[in-house]
Amino acid sequence: MNIAKNTYDWVLNWASTPYALYALVLLSFTESFFFPIPPDILLIAIAFSKPKQSFFYAGLCSFASVIGGIVGYIIGYYLFESIGKLIFDLYGGIDEFETVKEYYNSKGAWMVLIGGFTPVPYKLITIASGVFLLDFKIFLLCSVISRSARFFLESLLIFYFGEKIRFILEKYFNLFTILLFVTVILGFLLFRVIL
């Protein structure tokens, strides 16, 4: 637990350095295929320092995350036996590998959309997408949509609500993203029922 807290604090400390944007890009990139700490904490800290530039920061974060996702896809596609399995095992996902495979056969795009937006470790989704041969164009489109939606939503809240939203974002971010995702799915289902 101490290692996780120290890593979290180390990431957060980058926000107050001149290298904050470089750290944001590197963190967003590596988190998509390996690093355990999501870029949200650094994005939120940087965006609070300059709320008017929060959309620019969200764009950087989204771009780097999708590029990192492509690396994860390549690891799954070409290097699963040598690298991918180690990453899955590190995050405790190797036991559910066969279950995930069943979902990918019928709902691969949804897996990427859900994994890219919610607190599900995106790195497991990117690697699994390569392993289970999800069409790359679908993977890329779903990654761009889900990662951008996640990071731009955070920036939008910071831009409009500033310090008022800080406590909620930092303390309840995971719950907030799950509730928002459920709301979107319910809205989509309602829309289909109406039509």
Side-chain angles (χ1 to χ4, degrees):
M1 189 69 167
N2 251 354
I3 294 172
K5 175 78 171 98
N6 290 341
T7 306
Y8 179 91
D9 291 340
W10 177 75
V11 166
L12 204 50
N13 286 333
W14 280 101
S16 58
T17 72
Y19 307 105
L21 291 184
Y22 298 112
L24 179 65
V25 168
L26 184 63
L27 178 61
S28 301
F29 174 73
T30 57
E31 186 272 337
S32 294
F33 61 93
F34 173 71
F35 197 70
I37 306 293
D40 307 82
I41 56 166
L42 187 55
L43 172 63
I44 290 167
I46 294 171
F48 272 120
S49 68
K50 293 182 181 174
K52 291 186 177 177
Q53 294 182 12
S54 60
F55 298 116
F56 171 72
Y57 303 143
L60 276 178
C61 201
S62 301
F63 178 76
S65 183
V66 170
I67 298 300
I70 293 169
V71 172
Y73 186 96
I74 291 168
I75 289 171
Y77 194 87
Y78 293 107
L79 304 168
F80 184 70
E81 291 298 322
S82 57
I83 298 173
K85 273 188 179 175
L86 294 172
I87 295 171
F88 257 76
D89 196 34
L90 183 67
Y91 291 96
I94 203 73
D95 296 335
E96 288 82 29
F97 195 72
E98 285 304 314
T99 307
V100 172
K101 182 178 182 179
E102 290 175 27
Y103 286 115
Y104 261 88
N105 289 335
S106 59
K107 296 176 177 55
W110 281 107
M111 295 289 288
V112 178
L113 287 170
I114 292 168
F117 187 78
T118 64
V120 171
Y122 181 57
K123 61 197 70 48
L124 300 182
I125 299 299
T126 65
I127 294 169
S129 295
V131 171
F132 302 131
L133 308 177
L134 179 65
D135 181 277
F136 181 74
K137 288 179 272 189
I138 291 172
F139 166 77
L140 189 58
L141 178 65
C142 292
S143 290
V144 168
I145 291 169
S146 62
R147 296 314 267 179
S148 297
R150 177 177 173 138
F151 301 134
F152 275 93
L153 175 64
E154 293 166 6
S155 293
L156 183 72
L157 291 171
I158 291 167
F159 183 81
Y160 282 109
F161 298 107
E163 284 295 321
K164 296 175 199 167
I165 199 77
R166 183 178 207 146
F167 174 77
I168 295 169
L169 277 176
E170 288 176 349
K171 183 154 182 149
Y172 300 108
F173 179 75
N174 286 347
L175 178 63
F176 178 70
T177 57
I178 290 168
L179 289 174
L180 183 65
F181 190 78
V182 168
T183 304
V184 169
I185 294 297
L186 290 175
F188 176 75
L189 292 174
L190 181 63
F191 182 72
R192 286 190 67 185
V193 168
I194 291 171
L195 293 179

